Amino acid sequence: IITGFTSINAWTNLGTNIWESTNALSPLPTCNMVVINGVNTPMGRYPNTGYLPYQSHNGSTSITSNNLTGTPNWTGAEVVMRPTRWMLQRVVIISQAGGTLAYSGSTEKPTDGFGFFVQNDNRTLDATNEWYYNPASKKIRIYNESTPTNVEVATIDELVLVNGLSYITFDHIDFEGANSYLFENRNSKNITLKNSS
């Protein structure tokens, strides 16, 4: 097994069913995968299900929704929006004024009338096992009525990089827990993966 998972066994109770990992998890600025009791578990989000519509946008730097008032202010969280029917885009909210979320890092212009939700903010944690990763402290928080158990976090971005090589076979190897790329092939030929998961 080639794994990028790190198990978390030490927790600090912050109250109101919020638990924080006692130690920093990894040097990575983001966390994309948390597995609890063997199940890939989603981040906390607002709203808990579905999407909020946005009525207008400004280029590819902000969206405005009648469903937001400015309280809470989601600056620092992520907005996950649907700029087109076939795409979800995840970007950091750099400021909020009333119902307008300004963000950076977008490559797609939004389509008015489509939807969004907010994630990766401590205030979204209100259901069992929802989680939030703090990019500054490198700690994870989880909502749970008791101490979280069997928690694994992806702490390695890329598990395998094959670069400029040929005729390599990966046989009977399991790959798990990549934060970004499980297996990357750059300029390599005749690479075989078999009997693996």
Side-chain angles (χ1 to χ4, degrees):
I1 297 174
I2 296 178
T3 184
F5 282 133
T6 297
S7 295
I8 304 174
N9 299 311
W11 296 95
T12 302
N13 186 347
L14 300 181
T16 63
N17 297 327
I18 304 292
W19 298 81
E20 183 175 68
S21 58
T22 303
N23 303 309
L25 305 176
S26 78
L28 301 178
T30 61
C31 179
N32 296 320
M33 185 186 309
V34 174
V35 172
I36 301 174
N37 296 318
V39 176
N40 193 357
T41 306
M43 275 186 191
R45 56 174 278 182
Y46 172 79
N48 282 339
T49 60
Y51 294 84
L52 298 173
Y54 56 89
Q55 289 73 41
S56 63
H57 69 281
N58 181 14
S60 57
T61 61
S62 72
I63 56 174
T64 300
S65 174
N66 297 337
N67 294 86
L68 297 177
T69 63
T71 305
N73 186 308
W74 294 109
T75 300
E78 295 175 340
V79 60
V80 179
M81 65 183 135
R82 187 176 292 283
T84 64
R85 294 192 188 283
W86 57 87
M87 178 186 290
L88 284 176
Q89 188 165 312
R90 172 182 169 185
V91 290
V92 175
I93 300 168
I94 57 173
S95 67
Q96 180 176 354
T100 300
L101 300 176
Y103 49 84
S104 63
S106 175
T107 57
E108 295 292 325
K109 193 177 289 188
T111 302
D112 294 344
F114 281 28
F116 74 98
F117 59 87
V118 175
Q119 69 176 15
N120 208 39
D121 188 285
N122 187 61
R123 293 165 296 176
T124 64
L125 305 182
D126 59 4
T128 300
N129 290 338
E130 285 185 332
W131 58 275
Y132 151 70
Y133 179 72
N134 185 323
S137 70
K138 311 295 191 223
K139 294 181 180 182
I140 188 173
R141 291 183 182 179
I142 292 180
Y143 184 93
N144 206 306
E145 292 180 4
S146 59
T147 307
T149 57
N150 300 317
V151 178
E152 295 179 302
V153 176
T155 57
I156 298 175
D157 262 341
E158 184 174 64
L159 297 188
V160 177
L161 168 62
V162 181
N163 190 359
L165 302 172
S166 298
Y167 298 99
I168 296 179
T169 299
F170 293 83
D171 191 5
H172 285 93
I173 299 175
D174 291 344
F175 304 91
E176 65 180 19
N179 194 54
S180 294
Y181 303 103
L182 189 76
F183 194 102
E184 185 174 357
N185 178 357
R186 293 185 196 160
N187 305 311
S188 299
K189 297 179 182 178
N190 299 300
I191 305 302
T192 305
L193 284 92
K194 64 181 186 178
N195 305 309
S196 300
S197 64

